[in-house]
Amino acid sequence: MTTIEIISRVARRARNGGDFTKLSLLERMDVLSAINGAIQEVYDRLPIYLKEQTDGFGLPAPLAITGLVVTNGSKVVTGYSFTAAQIGRSILIEGDGTVNQLIGNGTALSLMNEYQGQSGTVGATIYGDAVYTTGAPFDRIVGDPQFSDQRQWPIMRRNGTPADYQFFGLFQVGRPQFWWVQNMGNSQGNVPTLVMKFFPMPDTAYNVKVRMAYWARRLVLADYDAATTITVLDQFLESALIPLALRQFMLSPAWEKLGPAADKLVLDAADRAIAFLRNQPGQIGAPNNQVGTPFGY
Amino acid sequence: MPLQVVQVRNDLLGKLGIEDPTTAPAIALDDCVIALNAAMQILQTAGEDYFTRQTLSQNISAGTASYMIAQSVQAILGPIRLASTPLMALESQGQYDQYARIFGGATAFGQGSGTPKAYHVQNLRNGTIGDINRIFIWLAPIPDAFGILSIDVVNDAPGYVVADLSSTAVVPIAQSYTESILLPIARFFITRSTLFSRQELLKPLTADYQEAMRRLGLSGGFPNVDQQLPRREVKA
């Protein structure tokens, strides 16, 4: 189903007679918001496997750079054009005995800690020990990352922080064995939301696969223009998505008020949609035991 | 046979008790013009789907945000189309002023530049004589290339003067439903003339007027979203 098709169906309950082509742009955005809310409700209640995909990431080999202009006591470095992909990676700067980290919002990279060496122009080594994903609303990491070579063990999760460096010793470089999540402060508007850190820092290039779950992509005005296909499986459209979108649309001034009895029909349909979503198998590839098992287990 | 303007005049004069139009005083002819124009204005404001919709063509050019519509246009009916693509209506000047911020994720005020996606209809006072309404259409984003808009509009009602009353031109009414809709409305307004003295006609003319207004609704005028459409039943 395309964005236009579902807007047309949900806007049947608009107060202008149910013709979305007569809605103002703001009212169409109301419909779009209702659909986005419904999509998020659908995925909130569906099993995780419907949000999951396996992403591949590269952990690059150590990269030696030169011409880095550093200032004692400053977190800002210049003279080298860092890339967004390097956010979160460790950097060892000549003249400073501690491992620092590249952090930033977008491409405005700076250091996690102040540079403690002498001011000047120095060289440095960037270690490919962090990855993050862009362009999708992140939900969670499912399981441990694996090297692309299936014969090797997955990298094990460690409930750690950068302080683990001290436990294993500074500057340990080798084949990554552990990983952890470092949150970057999304509530402060930082991008990315988080990075996956690996330890030891890669001694050479590695490819890893990570099972990750993503929230459904939000529909925006560009989706309306391009009539893109919405990101919900067909079997959940009429049974769940549209009833939930109608309930969300009730919050808009563009909703056609037909009275409490008519509204109750919409609310009841939304409740049935939620029950339907909760009744989906919790996993695929294995029998689903529903005997005596309450919803949610 | 479609009714002519002169026939409408004669009918209205008859309600004033003037059987010979050549003897009609100027004030009677003035009242006929008023009654006829009033009836035409009612039809022209009866609703966008009462056969008053006309399509204008308007060229747009890169860098120009607003376009002035002809003075004779009474109202813009949406949606405006750019080639075959319908544009979306904005509800206020404020939405237009912050189009890029509200709908485009931008940080700066304004509309940005590109292929227009939305429009705002602005009604401004223009002058101090006659029709003082002038309509402007503002496009967002501001066009970056030439294009042609198709704009459905309602034009102003025809305005007759005394000199027109002897015309044999056919009165412009949808389906030529002059007798059932236009005349009853015009006759009702002629009863407001100072020359109207036939009080026995007032009640039936008022009833005819009310029936004509009801029929106007059935014919597509004054569409009322709260009113159920009449059922169309066929009896054996």
Side-chain angles (χ1 to χ4, degrees):
Chain A
M1 179 177 281
T2 67
T3 305
I4 293 296
E5 288 176 313
I6 190 169
I7 286 177
S8 172
R9 282 159 175 74
V10 174
R12 290 287 296 149
R13 286 301 306 274
R15 65 181 178 186
N16 72 338
D19 182 355
F20 88 94
T21 66
K22 294 181 179 177
L23 294 176
S24 71
L25 178 51
L26 200 63
E27 289 168 329
R28 286 179 221 212
M29 294 301 287
D30 279 0
V31 180
L32 211 55
S33 296
I35 295 167
N36 274 329
I39 290 174
Q40 289 156 13
E41 280 195 85
V42 165
Y43 278 101
D44 183 45
R45 289 168 172 85
L46 283 176
I48 188 72
Y49 67 82
L50 287 165
K51 292 194 280 188
E52 182 186 323
Q53 71 179 69
T54 300
D55 270 354
F57 297 95
L59 302 178
L63 174 66
I65 64 173
T66 58
L68 200 60
V69 180
V70 294
T71 304
N72 180 263
S74 172
K75 294 181 178 180
V76 178
V77 291
T78 59
Y80 184 80
S81 179
F82 295 102
T83 67
Q86 290 171 325
I87 293 177
R89 290 179 184 168
S90 297
I91 182 170
L92 185 60
I93 305 174
E94 291 174 358
D96 189 341
T98 59
V99 174
N100 216 319
Q101 188 179 16
L102 294 168
I103 61 171
N105 187 334
T107 56
L109 269 63
S110 60
L111 299 176
M112 170 75 80
N113 298 113
E114 295 172 356
Y115 175 72
Q116 300 294 357
Q118 295 293 319
S119 300
T121 301
V122 297
T125 302
I126 301 171
Y127 293 94
D129 62 344
V131 296
Y132 71 93
T133 177
T134 59
F138 180 78
D139 180 24
R140 71 185 74 173
I141 296 167
V142 184
D144 290 320
Q146 290 181 307
F147 290 106
S148 292
D149 183 347
Q150 295 288 340
R151 290 171 298 178
Q152 300 191 52
W153 286 97
I155 308 166
M156 303 302 291
R157 175 175 168 78
R158 183 169 184 83
N159 294 318
T161 66
D164 283 345
Y165 282 121
Q166 296 175 355
F167 180 79
F168 288 99
L170 291 174
F171 313 139
Q172 186 166 338
V173 178
R175 188 171 73 87
Q177 299 175 50
F178 301 103
W179 68 279
W180 69 92
V181 167
Q182 181 180 354
N183 296 306
M184 303 298 281
N186 188 240
S187 63
Q188 302 306 305
N190 293 338
V191 176
T193 304
L194 56 86
V195 294
M196 292 181 71
K197 293 285 288 183
F198 293 84
F199 184 85
M201 297 183 288
D203 56 346
T204 185
Y206 294 93
N207 281 323
V208 294
K209 299 182 299 183
V210 187
R211 292 169 60 199
M212 308 182 99
Y214 298 106
W215 285 98
R217 204 170 53 77
R218 285 180 66 246
L219 301 176
V220 295
L221 202 54
D223 294 295
Y224 172 89
D225 289 337
T228 56
T229 301
I230 59 173
T231 55
V232 175
L233 293 174
D234 285 352
Q235 61 266 36
F236 303 121
L237 294 176
E238 288 81 6
S239 56
L241 183 63
I242 291 177
L244 291 171
L246 285 171
R247 184 171 68 176
Q248 293 269 352
F249 189 41
M250 292 175 76
L251 301 173
S252 166
W255 174 257
E256 182 185 29
K257 293 179 175 59
L258 295 177
D263 285 353
K264 187 173 185 305
L265 292 177
V266 176
L267 297 174
D268 288 348
D271 288 343
R272 287 196 300 275
I274 290 170
F276 173 77
L277 292 171
R278 285 181 172 164
N279 203 28
Q280 300 307 305
Q283 57 179 314
I284 53 175
N288 183 41
N289 175 22
Q290 292 185 328
V291 179
T293 305
F295 292 145
Y297 287 82
Chain B
M1 181 179 174
L3 218 55
Q4 300 169 345
V5 175
V6 66
Q7 292 173 297
V8 173
R9 179 202 66 181
N10 294 345
D11 183 272
L12 296 178
L13 289 176
K15 300 301 173 288
L16 298 178
I18 302 171
E19 300 298 334
D20 182 1
T22 60
T23 63
I27 188 172
L29 295 176
D30 283 344
D31 287 345
C32 286
V33 166
I34 291 170
L36 180 56
N37 283 342
M40 296 300 297
Q41 288 161 17
I42 283 186
L43 296 186
Q44 202 69 4
T45 55
E48 62 188 62
D49 289 320
Y50 185 64
F51 316 108
T52 51
R53 183 184 293 261
Q54 290 179 266
T55 302
L56 293 183
S57 186
Q58 171 71 52
N59 289 350
I60 62 173
S61 54
T64 304
S66 74
Y67 298 88
M68 186 166 65
I69 304 302
Q71 183 89 43
S72 59
V73 171
Q74 169 183 297
I76 303 290
L77 306 176
I80 292 174
R81 296 180 294 279
L82 174 60
S84 59
T85 303
L87 306 183
M88 295 176 281
L90 298 173
E91 297 174 0
S92 67
Q93 185 72 46
Q95 287 182 18
Y96 181 78
D97 292 341
Q98 301 198 53
Y99 174 85
R101 288 154 54 97
I102 297 173
F103 304 108
T107 56
F109 289 94
Q111 300 76 36
S113 178
T115 302
K117 299 183 187 311
Y119 63 93
H120 172 57
V121 177
Q122 183 185 43
N123 285 272
L124 288 182
R125 176 189 169 100
N126 180 45
T128 56
I129 300 172
D131 178 9
I132 58 169
N133 175 234
R134 199 71 194 245
I135 297 175
F136 294 82
I137 290 176
W138 293 79
L139 299 176
I142 297 171
D144 60 356
F146 170 81
I148 300 176
L149 296 179
S150 294
I151 310 170
D152 284 3
V153 304
V154 176
N155 280 318
D156 294 335
Y160 294 103
V161 296
V162 171
D164 298 324
L165 291 181
S166 57
S167 168
T168 56
V170 174
V171 179
I173 300 295
Q175 288 92 30
S176 294
Y177 284 177
T178 319
E179 293 83 354
S180 61
I181 294 181
L182 177 72
L183 268 184
I185 297 173
R187 287 170 182 157
F188 176 74
F189 282 108
I190 203 67
T191 64
R192 271 48 187 158
S193 167
T194 54
L195 299 177
F196 183 75
S197 59
R198 301 172 65 182
Q199 291 301 315
E200 77 281 5
L201 285 180
L202 186 56
K203 191 172 181 179
L205 288 180
T206 302
D208 288 350
Y209 164 76
Q210 291 168 342
E211 175 63 16
M213 294 298 282
R214 193 185 69 81
R215 288 192 176 280
L216 186 55
L218 294 179
S219 300
F222 294 118
N224 185 347
V225 295
D226 297 325
Q227 177 182 318
Q228 290 290 330
L229 288 173
R231 297 176 62 185
R232 307 193 75 169
E233 296 179 341
V234 177
K235 291 182 179 178

